[in-house]
Amino acid sequence: MTQTSQRDTELAEGARHPWHRYVALGDSFTEGIGDPDPDSPGGHRGWADRLAEELSRTQDDFAYANLAIRGRLLQQIIDDQLEPALALAPDLVSISAGGNDLLRPGSDPDALAVKLDAAVGQLADSGATVLLFNGPDIGSTPVLAAIRGKVAIYNENLRTVAARHDAIIADMWSLRQLSDPRMWASDRLHFSPLGHHTIAIMALEALNVAHELSPMEPAAAPGRSWRTARAEDLVWAREYFVPWVIRRIRHKSSGDGLSAKRPTAEPVFGAGVPLGSGDAVAASDAELRQGLE
């Protein structure tokens, strides 16, 4: 029986999941930008923290590190995060990379996939289970819709990468809920707390792990007049789009000077951990649910 088929059998029988050390690699998506939480390391929670919280509930010796830093390009993630991740000896690794590259003019999704393939190969060769995220369908997202074709090509390449290295695909493209504007943060580039929560559920299900998260349905959005919508567009352009363009021109990144929020593998809950306890996480999710009603 192969390692993968044995894992699937164990989980299908309702046994405790097999992972004890999880390391997350990536950019702002994995760092948790768009899901602010002053009680979380780095001030952001995000889907990866939520995933680690659920994984830790059934493993007493579970540890989690998050090396992701906002604004990072694929090559930067490979150069700066791959070796530190391997040094932590994880048995579960998630990687989401390439999104910032695809936003840049002239980027080649085929060439990016070749780079990512080598990185996923190194992670898989270490014996870790690799959870590989593809990109969401951004056709209904005004800011990102222009690169939808490149994302689709990249995603098809990632399926080949996953098959080659026996990685698990966290299928963002098929997560139709992400087409709801309320799944996105006010900057229209990152996911909202609701979006991160929804993605965490998808990732746990991709791993075939039982969890305590439940889907959250947002309340109906209030109607907006054309004038209100345009005013909101102008505010967004001034507060988010123009600064983003200026950073591109100056070859700056929002992550310049920042370090990883969880550079070492530590317990998710317990003494010295800002999240405090499972009760604190439950309270945070309860607040989110209340805000959607």
Side-chain angles (χ1 to χ4, degrees):
M1 181 179 293
T2 65
Q3 179 180 0
T4 300
S5 61
Q6 181 178 7
R7 181 187 69 238
D8 292 342
T9 299
E10 289 173 349
L11 296 179
E13 293 173 353
R16 179 178 297 180
H17 72 76
W19 301 294
H20 296 267
R21 180 166 293 201
Y22 166 43
V23 178
L25 289 73
D27 51 29
S28 58
F29 168 65
T30 301
E31 186 184 350
I33 302 304
D35 186 14
D37 183 350
D39 294 325
S40 293
H44 300 274
R45 190 177 174 197
W47 67 265
D49 285 13
R50 295 165 189 267
L51 176 68
E53 290 156 12
E54 292 301 311
L55 292 174
S56 72
R57 295 187 195 281
T58 56
Q59 288 287 14
D60 294 336
D61 60 345
F62 187 81
Y64 163 52
N66 189 320
L67 308 183
I69 298 177
R70 69 197 74 171
R72 292 300 189 256
L73 300 172
L74 173 57
Q75 192 61 55
Q76 292 174 316
I77 292 170
I78 293 171
D79 292 343
D80 300 338
Q81 299 178 26
L82 185 59
E83 289 302 326
L86 291 171
L88 293 172
D91 52 13
L92 175 64
V93 179
S94 67
I95 181 167
S96 174
N100 288 321
D101 299 81
L102 293 173
L103 282 168
R104 301 198 169 201
S107 58
D108 182 349
D110 295 321
L112 290 172
V114 170
K115 289 183 179 181
L116 186 61
D117 176 70
V120 172
Q122 285 186 256
L123 294 169
D125 288 345
S126 74
T129 298
V130 180
L131 181 64
L132 180 60
F133 280 77
N134 65 11
D137 185 350
I138 50 179
S140 60
T141 307
V143 183
L144 304 174
I147 65 167
R148 184 176 186 246
K150 290 200 292 187
V151 172
I153 294 170
Y154 191 54
N155 285 355
E156 286 303 303
N157 285 325
L158 295 194
R159 291 190 182 279
T160 301
V161 172
R164 180 179 294 124
H165 302 293
D166 200 21
I168 298 170
I169 284 281
D171 192 0
M172 300 264 285
W173 185 272
S174 298
L175 198 58
R176 297 292 97 183
Q177 298 97 308
L178 298 182
S179 63
D180 189 319
R182 288 163 292 186
M183 294 283 176
W184 295 80
S186 56
D187 64 6
R188 306 182 187 180
L189 291 170
H190 300 99
F191 291 103
S192 66
L194 175 61
H196 280 281
H197 179 90
T198 302
I199 291 164
I201 292 175
M202 180 273 290
L204 286 160
E205 293 176 350
L207 291 171
N208 199 21
V209 173
H211 57 85
E212 299 180 8
L213 300 182
S214 58
M216 295 181 182
E217 294 295 332
R224 296 185 305 163
S225 67
W226 179 90
R227 187 182 300 277
T228 299
R230 297 293 75 76
E232 291 176 354
D233 289 343
L234 290 173
V235 171
W236 168 80
R238 181 179 66 251
E239 294 186 0
Y240 299 108
F241 183 67
V242 171
W244 182 83
V245 171
I246 291 174
R247 286 198 301 271
R248 295 288 77 75
I249 293 173
R250 295 176 176 175
H251 301 288
K252 300 291 184 180
S253 168
S254 57
D256 287 349
L258 298 181
S259 57
K261 68 178 187 177
R262 288 180 176 265
T264 59
E266 302 288 345
V268 179
F269 305 122
V273 178
L275 286 174
S277 68
D279 291 339
V281 172
S284 177
D285 284 339
E287 291 176 0
L288 172 58
R289 183 175 284 104
Q290 183 177 9
L292 297 175
E293 294 174 351

